[in-house]
């Protein structure tokens, strides 16, 4: 088990190295001059050259990459072109907002997917199954930013129940945090929940039709116990995997929603950095999101072995 | 003879499907006595499995519908509530299913799967159930049972898993064990061991067994009585020696004739029964076997449904559902070919019987 964890962590680090190369290369392929953008109207040739030299942009690309990577290994992601602040600080300030939103979205998704998926599997072919399937089809088909805008329209503009945007730390004001996180979390949660509903349904259905469930019935066990111990217990395994993958995917989709709801998270930070040609911030943000993705995948793999005795990592 | 433990009368099972109502069990009746082994033989789709699952209503309803009477221990099961049936399933009537690879839940240790029925029906404590589980596993021939309880199914071979499934079937000391193709998925050596095991347990526990199979070799080795099913009904019923020695129904004759003769001087081609069984949503009004029958004399059986009649005057309960008699020399030939199959089941290859059915 320990050997497996070490190997998986090493693999993840290797993948992260690949991500860093791609991110770094892409940044330099994007048209536009970050130094010029940073200077804006204060442009003069001397300041331009000075800033270029300070940012190391006058050196060969490979050297720039090596320097950046060296910094990354010591936790130093460089300095923002735009604000002059440490990229690590800028990113760390944004992590809680994104993590909280991602967590809240996943809760919403599971609160939709588990009951809907399980009930529609158990009542296969009944009206409730068709309703759940139709709703999840709609949920999957419509883009999340549209839900976001509709939610703002209905609950903020028409009904005035919830603030349309912005973030308040739950440590400062838990109630206000809940009011603010509700709409963005529902926006992401509905889409993810719709995908997970379909998956939960098919996973439970497959489990329901398993031969060992028939044997459990032939043992004369109560139906509730069969459902818990022989159907759901088995169905969890694929559900957990896909939920983990969805959480990782959700990190990508969060960018758009953070923009719609002016949520000061990593996604918005990355988007702003692209717009401003703020290379160091952009690279740092993408690297952190990629790292989170890899960590989630690693955790899912480890959890998998806990749930399925047939899998042993050695 | 004593009162039967299980008495089935005019059992029908119908399934609603998009193509119409599939009538898959059509008026099956039989008695099963304590200590007796009744073999149900027939090809896939002949209704043998469904007819036994229907005894305790283990088929999905809807789309399934069960009619008829099943008397067990002074009670009638078809009209019984689900809760009452649950107290009988696994408790008084044990089941062993075909595929040892899928019958056990892969995520629970086998000890837990073995004890859950006992704890539920017999109210045993965890440790008492565990002790009994060790006994049961030893009984079915799993060595070092105490240390295997926490093992998972994937750590067992197919034969060992099937022994576990049999132990589960026996765990609450049922009066009736229904073994549905219990040895089909196993290799012949393991198959013979399992057959021996069930016979031994039957002697020790006085258990009545319904053995469902399409393997006539196994039937000869284990059964007291045999019922041949075709298209959802019993077409022939006899003591095992009688059936093999003097088959009366054209279908039985065809089945027995299709067994390979081991040690024959000139191995010829295997006989086959041409054609396919009828569509259960569109059963012919007359005899279900008539389109495939080589021995009918006229068109009577096309329109008229033959009843299950006594095959002869012997009064031994040999019954057959046919208007016609298969010529003696043909019966003789089929019987000869089946004599080889009467050898212990591990001596005959079970596959040809299956292959001859041609529909799998």
């Amino acid at each position: 088990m320990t050997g497996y964890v070490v190997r998986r962590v090493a693999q993840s680090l290797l993948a992260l190295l690949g991500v860093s190369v791609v991110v770094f290369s892409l940044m330099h392929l994007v048209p536009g001059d970050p130094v010029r953008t940073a200077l804006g109207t204060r442009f003069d040739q001397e300041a331009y050259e000075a800033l270029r030299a300070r940012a190391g942009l006058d050196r060969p690309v490979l050297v720039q990459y090596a320097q950046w990577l060296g910094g990354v290994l010591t936790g130093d992601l460089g300095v923002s072109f735009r604000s002059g602040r440490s990229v690590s600080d800028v990113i760390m300030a944004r992590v809680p907002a994104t993590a909280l939103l991602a967590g809240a979205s996943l809760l919403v998704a599971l609160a939709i997917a588990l009951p809907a998926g399980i009930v529609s599997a158990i009542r296969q072919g009944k009206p409730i199954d068709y309703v759940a399937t139709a709703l999840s089809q709609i949920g999957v088909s419509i883009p999340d930013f549209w839900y976001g805008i509709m939610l703002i329209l209905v609950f903020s503009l028409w009904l005035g129940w919830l603030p349309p945007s912005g973030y308040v730390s739950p440590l400062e004001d838990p109630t206000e945090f809940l009011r603010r996180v509700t709409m963005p979390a529902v926006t992401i949660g509905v889409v993810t929940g719709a995908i997970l509903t379909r998956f939960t349904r098919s996973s439970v259905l497959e489990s329901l039709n398993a031969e060992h469930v028939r044997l459990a019935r032939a043992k004369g066990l109560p139906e509730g116990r069969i459902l818990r111990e022989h159907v759901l217990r088995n169905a969890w395994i694929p559900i957990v995997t896909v939920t983990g993958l969805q959480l990782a995917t959700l990190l990508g989709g969060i960018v758009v929603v953070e923009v719609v709801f002016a949520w000061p998270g990593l996604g918005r930070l990355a988007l702003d950095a692209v717009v401003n040609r703020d290379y160091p911030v952009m690279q740092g943000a993408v690297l952190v999101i990629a790292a989170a993705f890899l960590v989630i995948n690693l955790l899912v793999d480890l959890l998998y072995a806990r749930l399925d005795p047939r899998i042993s990592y050695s | 003879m004593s009162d039967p433990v299980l008495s089935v009368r005019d059992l029908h099972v119908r399934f609603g499907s998009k193509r119409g109502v599939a009538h898959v069990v059509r008026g099956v009746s039989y008695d099963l006595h304590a200590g007796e082994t009744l073999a149900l033989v027939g090809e896939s789709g002949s209704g043998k499995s469904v007819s036994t699952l229907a005894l305790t209503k283990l088929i999905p309803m809807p789309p399934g519908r069960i009619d008829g009477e099943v008397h067990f221990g002074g009670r009638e099961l078809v009209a019984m509530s689900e809760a009452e049936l649950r107290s009988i399933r696994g408790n008084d009537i044990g089941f062993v299913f075909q595929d040892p690879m899928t019958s056990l839940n892969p995520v629970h240790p086998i000890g837990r799967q073995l004890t859950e029925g006992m704890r539920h029906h017999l109210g045993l404590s965890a440790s008492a159930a565990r002790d009994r589980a060790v006994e049961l596993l030893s009984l079915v021939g799993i060595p070092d049972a105490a240390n295997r309880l926490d093992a998972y199914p994937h750590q067992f071979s197919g034969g060992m898993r099937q022994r576990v499934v049999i132990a589960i079937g026996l765990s609450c000391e049922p009066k009736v064990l229904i073994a549905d193709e219990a040895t089909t998925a196993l290799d012949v050596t393991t198959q013979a061991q399992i057959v021996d095991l069930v016979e031994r347990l039957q002697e020790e526990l006085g258990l009545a067994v319904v053995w469902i199979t399409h393997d006539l070799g196994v039937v000869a080795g284990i059964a007291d009585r045999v019922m041949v099913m075709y298209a959802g009904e019993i077409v022939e019923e006899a003591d095992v020696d009688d059936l093999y020695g003097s088959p009366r129904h054209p279908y039985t004759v065809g089945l027995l004739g299709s067994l390979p003769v081991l040690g024959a001087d000139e191995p010829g081609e295997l006989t086959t029964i041409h054609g396919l069984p009828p569509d259960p949503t569109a059963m012919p009004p007359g005899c279900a076997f008539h389109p495939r029958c080589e021995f009918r004399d006229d068109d009577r059986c096309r329109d008229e449904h033959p009843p299950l009649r006594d095959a002869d005057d012997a009064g031994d309960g040999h019954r057959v559902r046919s208007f016609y008699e298969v010529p003696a020399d043909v019966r003789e030939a089929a019987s000869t070919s089946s004599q080889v199959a009467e050898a212990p089941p591990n001596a005959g290859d079970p596959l040809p019987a299956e292959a001859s059915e041609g529909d799998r």
Side-chain angles (χ1 to χ4, degrees):
Chain A
M1 187 70 185
T2 321
Y4 174 79
V5 175
V6 170
R7 250 200 339 274
R8 272 306 311 265
V9 170
Q11 280 171 3
S12 300
L13 288 177
L14 204 65
L16 208 53
L17 188 69
V19 170
S20 75
V21 172
V22 172
V23 169
F24 193 85
S25 315
L26 278 179
M27 285 310 113
H28 288 78
L29 291 174
V30 174
D33 186 334
V35 180
R36 196 176 282 268
T37 317
L39 286 174
T41 49
R42 297 173 282 127
F43 183 85
D44 74 67
Q45 197 60 35
E46 221 168 288
Y48 179 78
E49 297 297 341
L51 188 54
R52 245 177 91 82
R54 193 148 58 87
L57 291 174
D58 52 350
R59 285 176 237 178
V61 171
L62 272 181
V63 175
Q64 288 184 41
Y65 175 69
Q67 278 181 336
W68 177 65
L69 197 64
V72 169
L73 291 178
T74 58
D76 174 15
L77 293 173
V79 176
S80 164
F81 287 168
R82 192 80 177 167
S83 64
R85 290 172 58 200
S86 147
V87 173
S88 311
D89 292 349
V90 172
I91 287 174
M92 284 321 287
R94 299 293 192 107
V95 164
T98 294
L100 286 168
L101 180 54
S105 307
L106 191 68
L107 280 183
V108 172
L110 290 176
I112 295 170
L114 294 182
I118 291 169
V119 167
S120 92
I122 294 171
R123 299 266 176 271
Q124 189 198 4
K126 300 271 165 57
I128 192 161
D129 179 27
Y130 290 121
V131 170
T133 306
L135 287 180
S136 71
Q137 184 65 53
I138 294 170
V140 175
S141 313
I142 299 175
D144 45 14
F145 61 84
W146 186 85
Y147 290 118
I149 294 167
M150 289 305 118
L151 286 176
I152 293 176
L153 191 67
V154 174
F155 292 100
S156 300
L157 291 182
W158 293 352
L159 298 172
W161 291 353
L162 293 169
S165 63
Y167 168 79
V168 171
S169 161
L171 297 175
E172 278 170 33
D173 187 346
T175 323
E176 189 56 29
F177 166 75
L178 284 178
R179 278 164 52 82
R180 305 251 172 167
V181 81
T182 302
M183 285 200 294
V186 167
T187 302
I188 303 171
V190 162
V191 178
T192 310
I195 297 168
L196 287 178
T197 300
R198 296 163 74 86
F199 196 81
T200 303
R201 177 181 182 273
S202 70
S203 180
V204 173
L205 261 186
E206 192 185 322
S207 194
L208 268 175
N209 291 322
E211 185 75 1
H212 67 254
V213 172
R214 190 160 70 124
L215 188 64
R217 292 220 168 83
K219 285 179 190 169
L221 299 177
E223 202 59 30
R225 217 166 110 189
I226 293 173
L227 190 64
R228 274 197 316 277
E229 291 172 18
H230 291 284
V231 178
L232 296 183
R233 175 63 182 76
N234 296 57
W236 288 144
I237 300 168
I239 292 173
V240 164
T241 315
V242 172
T243 303
L245 292 176
Q246 280 299 321
L247 178 60
T249 315
L250 184 153
L251 287 179
I254 223 165
V255 176
V256 179
V257 174
E258 285 185 354
V259 171
V260 170
F261 288 96
W263 190 265
L266 271 184
R268 234 192 100 99
L269 180 71
L271 191 75
D272 289 345
V274 171
V275 173
N276 297 328
R277 308 265 179 269
D278 198 345
Y279 287 0
V281 173
M282 179 68 214
Q283 288 165 351
V286 172
L287 200 66
V288 167
I289 292 174
F293 191 97
L294 291 168
V295 167
I296 291 167
N297 272 312
L298 179 63
L299 291 178
V300 167
D301 275 359
L302 297 180
L303 192 58
Y304 208 85
R306 295 279 307 167
L307 285 173
D308 191 341
R310 283 167 296 185
I311 295 169
S312 65
Y313 296 130
S314 53
Chain B
M1 206 176 242
S2 59
D3 284 344
V5 277
L6 180 73
S7 183
V8 180
R9 288 291 170 271
D10 200 27
L11 186 72
H12 289 262
V13 180
R14 295 174 178 87
F15 284 102
S17 72
K18 282 184 182 134
R19 295 191 304 127
V21 176
H23 198 168
V24 294
V25 176
R26 306 189 296 151
V28 167
S29 302
Y30 58 89
D31 289 328
L32 181 70
H33 294 87
E36 187 184 28
T37 301
L38 175 70
L40 269 181
V41 299
E43 59 201 291
S44 305
S46 60
K48 49 194 198 304
S49 293
V50 176
S51 69
T52 51
L53 289 174
L55 297 177
T56 62
K57 301 208 266 191
L58 272 174
I59 56 171
M61 296 192 295
R65 203 184 100 195
I66 301 169
D67 295 296
E69 289 174 22
V70 176
H71 295 281
F72 176 83
R75 303 202 281 173
E76 203 287 301
L77 307 189
V78 174
M80 207 177 248
S81 73
E82 187 61 18
E84 285 177 291
L85 280 168
R86 273 201 296 269
S87 70
I88 289 177
R89 288 179 200 144
N91 189 14
D92 297 315
I93 301 181
F95 290 87
V96 177
F97 292 137
Q98 172 169 5
D99 189 353
M101 294 307 179
T102 56
S103 289
L104 294 169
N105 190 333
V107 305
H108 295 306
I110 56 138
R112 177 167 169 185
Q113 301 188 53
L114 187 46
T115 53
E116 62 184 350
M118 295 190 277
R119 298 196 59 186
H120 179 69
H121 291 300
L122 311 177
L124 297 184
S125 68
S127 65
R130 234 182 129 79
D131 291 346
R132 171 116 178 86
V134 173
E135 274 174 45
L136 280 164
L137 287 184
S138 312
L139 185 73
V140 296
I142 290 182
D144 193 20
N147 291 322
R148 303 306 298 273
L149 285 182
D150 294 321
Y152 288 93
H154 69 274
Q155 294 163 319
F156 283 69
S157 68
M160 286 295 164
R161 287 189 215 186
Q162 194 63 336
R163 285 164 199 261
V164 173
V165 175
I166 290 171
I168 290 173
L170 295 169
S171 60
C172 296
E173 299 193 349
K175 296 182 182 68
V176 174
L177 182 74
I178 291 169
D180 188 350
E181 305 273 12
T183 58
T184 305
L186 305 176
D187 62 82
V188 265
T189 316
T190 316
Q191 201 172 58
Q193 289 171 350
I194 300 273
V195 167
D196 288 347
L197 167 74
V198 172
E199 282 187 318
R200 204 181 76 227
L201 294 173
Q202 216 171 352
E203 278 169 30
E204 286 169 17
L205 308 172
L207 174 79
V209 176
V210 179
W211 193 278
I212 301 170
T213 184
H214 52 249
D215 183 344
L216 292 165
V218 170
V219 172
I222 197 169
D224 299 313
R225 284 182 71 72
V226 184
M227 295 197 315
V228 181
M229 283 191 76
Y230 183 81
E233 54 186 9
I234 297 168
V235 293
E236 183 160 8
E237 179 185 356
D239 289 343
V240 65
D241 295 338
D242 222 9
L243 188 96
Y244 281 78
S246 172
R248 304 303 282 266
H249 193 278
Y251 179 62
T252 318
V253 170
L255 275 187
L256 293 177
S258 66
L259 287 175
V261 181
L262 282 182
D265 295 337
E266 284 179 41
E269 260 184 57
L270 294 177
T271 338
T272 57
I273 306 174
H274 67 86
L276 291 170
D279 177 353
T281 59
M283 285 291 177
C287 174
F289 189 65
H290 86 266
R292 303 173 80 182
C293 187
E294 292 175 21
F295 303 102
R296 61 202 186 98
D297 302 331
D298 48 36
D299 280 344
R300 183 182 171 196
C301 63
R302 193 185 61 195
D303 308 313
E304 196 180 327
H305 188 224
L308 200 57
R309 61 171 172 91
D310 283 334
D312 45 44
D313 299 331
D316 55 5
H318 191 162
R319 296 192 294 164
V320 59
R321 191 184 291 279
S322 174
F323 295 122
Y324 314 105
E325 292 296 339
V326 177
D329 57 323
V330 180
R331 293 196 335 234
E332 186 71 22
S335 169
T336 316
S337 124
S338 74
Q339 295 308 311
V340 182
E342 262 193 85
N346 52 339
D349 188 340
L351 292 175
E354 186 181 341
S356 70
E357 289 162 10
D359 68 334
R360 287 171 68 91

